[in-house]
Amino acid sequence: AVAGAGAWLWHSGRLASAANLVYRTAIDASLTAGFKVGAVNAVGRDATPSTALLEAIGLKRGDPILAFDADAARERVEKIPTVRSAVVRRILPDTIQVEIDERKPYARWQIDERTVVVDAEGKVLTGIDAGRYTDLKRVVGPGAAQNVGELFAMLEGEPELFGRVKDIVRVR
């Protein structure tokens, strides 16, 4: 009888409803106790737009901090093009700490009529104004960005020449 009642509770969805009610009650109680988001601190952010970071975290002031899924937020933050890796954690009672390791602007890549910033692996760092990085060398042409690290490593073997180079055109 007990097993039958348990199976009925499971299949009827009443057990899930009861669990959800207990969860919501606990979250509401945590808000009353002061466990709500009061601050989001970002460490290591330079080129990553703050709006993109806040959107990826998906929180606003006053949200229940105990309902926050830090692992899911980390995965979303790591999808931002300028972020190589991230650590996201709750610091109770009211702070979310985000530590990011950013991809570093390495070169400007001109393709067709536009110029973008890329890292040493050739990954395009969207959301970054290429005009801020006029001090970086410019590579031009299809496939130039994907080979920029290898190309620069080769040229760095000739420091005098490399120091004079401003633009590099890749020809297949």
Side-chain angles (χ1 to χ4, degrees), residues 4-76:
W8 176 79
L9 281 172
W10 179 262
H11 289 295
S12 70
R14 292 183 193 266
L15 194 59
S17 285
N20 189 34
L21 178 62
V22 168
Y23 173 78
R24 290 300 324 152
T25 302
I27 292 301
D28 290 345
S30 75
L31 283 170
T32 303
F35 290 97
K36 53 187 160 192
V37 176
V40 176
N41 296 332
V43 176
R45 187 189 73 77
D46 180 42
T48 303
S50 59
T51 53
L53 189 59
L54 289 172
E55 183 179 317
I57 293 167
L59 283 176
K60 61 184 182 305
R61 197 175 299 255
D63 283 351
I65 198 166
L66 296 181
F68 176 65
D69 185 344
D71 287 332
R74 178 192 48 78
E75 289 175 8
R76 292 189 303 269

Side-chain angles (χ1 to χ4, degrees), residues 33-34 36 49 72-73 76 80 84 87 100 107 121 130 135 148-149 164:
K36 53 187 160 192
R76 292 189 303 269
I80 298 172
R84 180 181 310 283
V87 175
I100 59 175
E121 298 167 0
D135 57 319
V148 72
R164 296 173 54 197

Side-chain angles (χ1 to χ4, degrees), residues 47 49 82 105 108 115-117 125-134 136:
T82 53
R108 293 176 299 132
T115 301
V116 295
V117 176
L125 305 180
T126 57
I128 292 182
D129 178 15
R132 272 184 59 193
Y133 295 94
T134 56
L136 296 177

Side-chain angles (χ1 to χ4, degrees), residues 103-120:
R103 295 178 178 276
K104 303 295 182 236
Y106 191 69
R108 293 176 299 132
W109 177 36
Q110 181 180 329
I111 186 73
D112 299 324
E113 297 297 317
R114 66 187 185 110
T115 301
V116 295
V117 176
V118 296
D119 71 356

